[in-house]
Amino acid sequence: MSVNSAPVAPTPLPLSIHGTPYSSTFLIGSEDHTLGNPLRHLLVSSQTSSVSFAGYSVPHPSEHVLQLRVQMYEKGGKTSKESVVEACETLGRICEVIEETVEREHGKIVKDEE
Amino acid sequence: MSSLYDVTEKGVQPNPLKPTPSTKTSKEYINMFKKDFQYKVISDDPNELVCLLSNIDVSIANAIRRILLADVPTMAIETVYIDQNTSITHDEVLSHRLGLMPVLADPTEFEVGGDEDTDWNTLVFQAHCKKSNGTDHAKFSPVCTASYRMLPVIKMLDNVRGEDAEELCTLEPGVFKLIEKDGEVEAVIDDPMKCTMSRNYLMNPRLKSKIKIERSGRDFIFCIESVGQVEPKKLLKRAVQILKEKGERLVRVLEEEGN
């Protein structure tokens, strides 16, 4: 750390879940709009049969914490946590599709690292 | 949420008739994305990549942009030990300026964090590099800038001919071109991407009624300008990988949390 930078306090918890299994608020540490907005979008647009509401906020810009609220239509089916996991997996698949398409377009030039 | 925006005198306004597409299940969404997503390179230089990402949600496009700015790691000088400095530049100013220099080292060969020295260069000072990302300090950001703009969608509602056609070509340079038709000049669409959204054509009431300019909220013209360490197309690939890793990290902590 350089002399000029102020240490940012580490997030107390990487994750905590509040509420009931079918309407939960997830407090996610070390994440911000970068992950929050795509997840919110996927919860709202890709699981319309089960998710009734999804929203996110970053309560304070200097605290690296993301709040994600997920509510389900019915109790007994998929839980909020399961739908968040599903949204993360969908995001992963989308990233893979983008990566494959970019690689195909640029040929093997992009082949690096690993 | 709208996927099409009208460009009017008052500004850019969402068109409620064109909502963002949605699906009942994640599987359908992935299939829809696979089918619709398109990637097109507009220009590819060692330092600047301009490309079009089509049929992608704005939240994902913005995540890629944010990751490019703040989450893709690079190497930069972090600590400088000065043995002798008799110049007019103070040690701390010199060290700061050295820190801002792009370091041509492949960040994939280094680990993040760690205080051990990875590189040094002695003239009258030693420069110690560190691997980190833009969140830590802007000097670690791999891009000069990474930005996107929504793709302009231009519709000709009626033929534009004669003086109006010539006026249109000067108002929106590069977007329209003139062709000869029935002994008269006519303006036709040439390159919508050149549209700057100046909205100048709206000043002419005849042009206003004949042309409609919109912006697509699902097609983004990305411009990735690298500082020089990593090629912009590699940066794009790394950014997408980092977004995927962020999702995987969340799945991991969710599964650890027994609840």
Side-chain angles (χ1 to χ4, degrees):
Chain A
M1 180 160 314
S2 73
V3 267
N4 298 324
S5 60
V8 177
T11 323
L13 259 183
L15 178 85
S16 66
I17 306 172
H18 305 262
T20 69
Y22 300 98
S23 56
S24 324
T25 302
F26 301 85
L27 257 102
I28 306 157
S30 314
E31 291 297 348
D32 55 8
H33 303 278
T34 307
L35 185 67
N37 202 14
L39 282 187
R40 190 221 92 246
H41 159 73
L42 289 173
L43 287 162
V44 166
S45 306
S46 76
Q47 303 179 32
T48 53
S49 60
S50 49
V51 176
S52 72
F53 174 86
Y56 88 99
S57 78
V58 177
H60 196 282
S62 60
E63 280 177 50
H64 237 55
V65 173
L66 168 75
Q67 288 182 345
L68 184 68
R69 174 79 180 166
V70 188
Q71 288 172 206
M72 313 303 287
Y73 277 119
E74 46 183 297
K75 294 189 173 107
K78 197 159 60 175
T79 63
S80 301
K81 191 170 151 180
E82 281 163 357
S83 63
V84 173
V85 171
E86 198 177 310
C88 288
E89 281 159 1
T90 312
L91 183 66
R93 283 297 300 135
I94 286 170
C95 289
E96 279 165 23
V97 174
I98 300 173
E99 207 185 313
E100 283 159 19
T101 320
V102 168
E103 263 195 345
R104 204 182 318 127
E105 193 69 23
H106 287 291
K108 285 292 148 201
I109 322 158
V110 192
K111 203 171 173 292
D112 63 326
E113 65 240 12
E114 271 100 56
Chain B
M1 293 297 277
S2 178
S3 64
L4 199 66
Y5 295 82
D6 290 331
V7 180
T8 67
E9 291 100 323
K10 289 183 192 127
V12 181
Q13 282 158 348
N15 181 343
L17 299 174
K18 292 273 182 181
T20 306
S22 60
T23 59
K24 281 194 159 33
T25 64
S26 301
K27 212 175 167 185
E28 285 171 45
Y29 189 95
I30 294 166
N31 289 337
M32 180 182 80
F33 186 83
K34 266 190 199 161
K35 191 164 77 57
D36 295 343
F37 176 71
Q38 279 178 349
Y39 176 77
K40 197 178 136 199
V41 181
I42 294 158
S43 77
D44 181 14
D45 295 331
N47 286 322
E48 191 188 63
L49 171 72
V50 183
C51 56
L52 177 68
L53 274 74
S54 297
N55 294 312
I56 184 168
D57 192 75
V58 62
S59 61
I60 295 161
N62 194 42
I64 294 173
R65 184 193 63 83
R66 286 175 64 95
I67 291 171
L68 283 167
L69 288 168
D71 286 310
V72 178
T74 64
M75 303 293 291
I77 294 170
E78 177 73 359
T79 319
V80 181
Y81 296 95
I82 294 170
D83 296 334
Q84 192 186 10
N85 181 11
T86 52
S87 72
I88 55 162
T89 314
H90 296 261
D91 288 359
E92 53 270 49
V93 177
L94 179 70
S95 313
H96 173 249
R97 297 292 287 260
L98 287 169
L100 298 178
M101 284 194 320
V103 176
L104 268 177
D106 185 356
T108 53
E109 290 176 18
F110 297 90
E111 291 289 324
V112 177
D115 286 329
E116 80 266 45
D117 308 327
T118 48
D119 188 16
W120 60 277
N121 210 339
T122 312
L123 285 168
V124 284
F125 62 85
Q126 293 178 7
H128 296 246
C129 291
K130 184 187 136 182
K131 179 180 177 178
S132 189
N133 60 31
T135 323
D136 183 9
H137 191 287
K139 69 183 175 186
F140 294 108
S141 185
V143 289
C144 301
T145 177
S147 62
Y148 60 76
R149 58 199 186 95
M150 294 190 279
L151 181 73
V153 179
I154 302 170
K155 286 170 186 160
M156 300 286 275
L157 306 174
D158 199 356
N159 293 329
V160 178
R161 288 186 179 157
E163 269 182 36
D164 280 350
E166 282 169 23
E167 192 189 333
L168 184 61
C169 285
T170 46
L171 288 176
E172 301 284 348
V175 183
F176 298 93
K177 66 178 176 193
L178 292 171
I179 56 159
E180 284 286 332
K181 200 171 182 186
D182 310 327
E184 218 182 359
V185 284
E186 186 179 330
V188 291
I189 297 168
D190 188 20
D191 186 2
M193 281 194 208
K194 293 241 171 76
C195 186
T196 58
M197 292 291 148
S198 68
R199 291 176 272 165
N200 279 336
Y201 79 97
L202 293 169
M203 290 190 292
N204 180 333
R206 287 184 303 280
L207 289 177
K208 190 186 167 185
S209 63
K210 289 177 179 175
I211 298 159
K212 192 167 164 53
I213 297 189
E214 296 165 315
R215 311 203 88 174
S216 166
R218 285 179 65 73
D219 306 282
F220 302 94
I221 307 164
F222 263 82
C223 179
I224 304 165
E225 201 185 317
S226 166
V227 168
Q229 294 114 316
V230 189
E231 273 185 290
K233 54 195 164 197
K234 288 186 186 173
L235 285 175
L236 179 62
K237 188 188 157 188
R238 279 184 202 169
V240 175
Q241 287 171 337
I242 290 170
L243 182 58
K244 190 181 157 195
E245 283 159 19
K246 277 177 181 287
E248 287 167 350
R249 184 195 88 100
L250 181 56
V251 171
R252 241 183 352 260
V253 288
L254 276 169
E255 276 164 3
E256 278 166 20
E257 167 89 31
N259 201 31

